[in-house]
Structure formats: C-alpha cells, structure tokens
Amino acid sequence: MSPLLLLLLALALPLALSTPGSASETQEDDLRCLHGVKSALKDPDGRLSSWTFGNTSAGAVCEFPGITCWNPQESRVLELSLAGFGVQGNVPSALKYCRSSTSLDLSKNALEGPIPPALCDWLPFLVNLDLSGNRFSGPLPSELVNCRFLNSLKLSHNNFSGQIPASLSRLVRLKSLDLSENRLDGQIPPQLGATFPKESFSGNPGLCGRPVSSRCGRD
C-alpha cells in the first residue's frame, strides 16, 4: 500500500467510523471481530489456538498470528492474513466488526461457499483482497464495486461461475486482478479486458473477448 493512500485512509477512517450512516453500517469492535472469526472457522491445524481473549488490554490482539494492527498500542486491525492456515468454512460474517481493515488474505485454505455480497459493506476500506486457492463457488457479486479502494483483487483457483460483473470496471484504483482457474463464462467486460493481461483470465474456457480472444463467437 502506498504511503499516500495509507495516510488518506488514516485520515478518513475516524470520521467514517464515527458518523452515523446506513443501516448496513456496524460499530467497529475488533475484539468481537476476531473472536467471531475464530468461532466461525474450523481450524484442524490449530493455527488459531493462540487466539485467546482473556487479555483485553489495548493492543493484545496485535500479537495474534495473522494480525497486523494500525498501532501496536491499540486493538485496531489493519490486516488480517490467514494465508495457508488450513482453515475451513465460509467467509465469517464477524468480519463486519473489523471495519477499518485494509487487507484481507484468506488464500490457500479450504474455504467454501459464495463471496458474501455484503463483504464490501463490512470492510469498505479494503485495499487488498485475496481469496485465491480455496473452494469458493457461485457468482462474483457485483457488489465488489463497493470496495472502492481496492488495488489488488485475487480470486484465482476457485470454483466461481457465471459472468464477470461489468461493475468491476468501475474499480478505478485496481492495479492487479487475477480471476484465473475458475469456471467463469461469457464476455470479459471490455474495460477490464483492455486493462489486464490474458493471464488474469486464463483457465476459464467459457470466457471470450479480449484479451483471451478477438471477440465472442470467434477465435
């Protein structure tokens, strides 16, 4: 994440999190968030066993594996990275209590089910989202456009199906996109096809249009 973007987020977050808004907004509570995440996921390798919640002092959760805080003196989660932890289950709804997080990496696990359409309402300041290497399925929700700060979106090596939402073209800050090795079909939204390389869409035999083919219906 660039220093400038981090600074802008740091300035915007306190106002955004303290201002009453829509009914979808939830009060930030990072301790509740992590407790809910641990409860929702199966953890056969015991990678989350050190996530204990008896110590409620400021900054205690910052020592948890996979957690990076905005400031080590306060329990405010900046990044949640459980890559390769071997966890199982669905995307935990308790993430909605970690509203100020800017990075969610759940890659290389055994997670399944759909991407919750409300994910970007839960985590509206995400800059990096990596769900690659899991067993996720279903359509890509058009609501991903609500993650308007996204720089990187990695959803490769899953079982996503259906068309790529045209709304993803409106993620103007997106610099890295990987939708490869899924079951996506239909035409690649032209703006995405013009911006990202063939490798971003490979391994989806049902996709057509640039950059994987000249046009739909032709090689």
Side-chain angles (χ1 to χ4, degrees):
M1 190 189 318
S2 70
L4 178 57
L5 182 55
L6 185 61
L7 176 60
L8 290 173
L9 285 170
L11 292 173
L13 278 167
L15 178 60
L17 294 172
S18 62
T19 302
S22 68
S24 65
E25 292 185 358
T26 303
Q27 184 176 1
E28 184 179 19
D29 185 340
D30 295 64
L31 190 65
R32 183 176 182 181
C33 169
L34 299 182
H35 194 285
V37 168
K38 181 180 180 180
S39 297
L41 297 176
K42 295 179 181 178
D43 181 27
D45 297 332
R47 298 291 298 275
L48 302 180
S49 60
S50 61
W51 283 26
T52 56
F53 300 92
N55 183 357
T56 57
S57 62
V61 303
C62 304
E63 302 298 322
F64 290 178
I67 300 302
T68 302
C69 291
W70 283 85
N71 184 315
Q73 266 62 61
E74 60 177 346
S75 297
R76 193 174 174 201
V77 177
L78 173 66
E79 300 177 0
L80 195 158
S81 178
L82 305 184
F85 273 38
V87 292
Q88 304 169 2
N90 305 125
V91 176
S93 61
L95 289 170
K96 63 187 175 184
Y97 299 111
C98 281
R99 283 184 57 82
S100 63
S101 297
T102 64
S103 182
L104 177 64
D105 185 351
L106 301 178
S107 63
K108 300 180 179 67
N109 286 295
L111 299 171
E112 57 189 11
I115 297 177
L119 180 63
C120 294
D121 293 325
W122 299 345
L123 303 172
F125 303 104
L126 280 182
V127 175
N128 301 297
L129 176 61
D130 190 347
L131 304 180
S132 63
N134 281 284
R135 302 171 186 169
F136 289 117
S137 59
L140 301 181
S142 60
E143 291 87 351
L144 285 173
V145 71
N146 295 327
C147 286
R148 57 194 181 94
F149 294 104
L150 270 185
N151 279 188
S152 177
L153 178 61
K154 298 179 180 179
L155 304 177
S156 64
H157 293 87
N158 281 289
N159 295 308
F160 293 118
S161 58
Q163 297 188 339
I164 299 173
S167 60
L168 296 187
S169 300
R170 303 205 303 272
L171 291 171
V172 296
R173 294 177 172 85
L174 197 63
K175 304 299 181 187
S176 176
L177 175 68
D178 191 352
L179 304 178
S180 63
E181 304 300 332
N182 280 288
R183 299 178 181 177
L184 300 169
D185 58 33
Q187 183 173 6
I188 297 171
Q191 188 170 341
L192 291 180
T195 303
F196 297 101
K198 183 176 182 179
E199 291 73 22
S200 294
F201 309 98
S202 64
N204 293 282
L207 287 177
C208 60
R210 294 188 184 276
V212 300
S213 64
S214 58
R215 57 180 293 183
C216 293
R218 294 186 181 181
D219 296 330

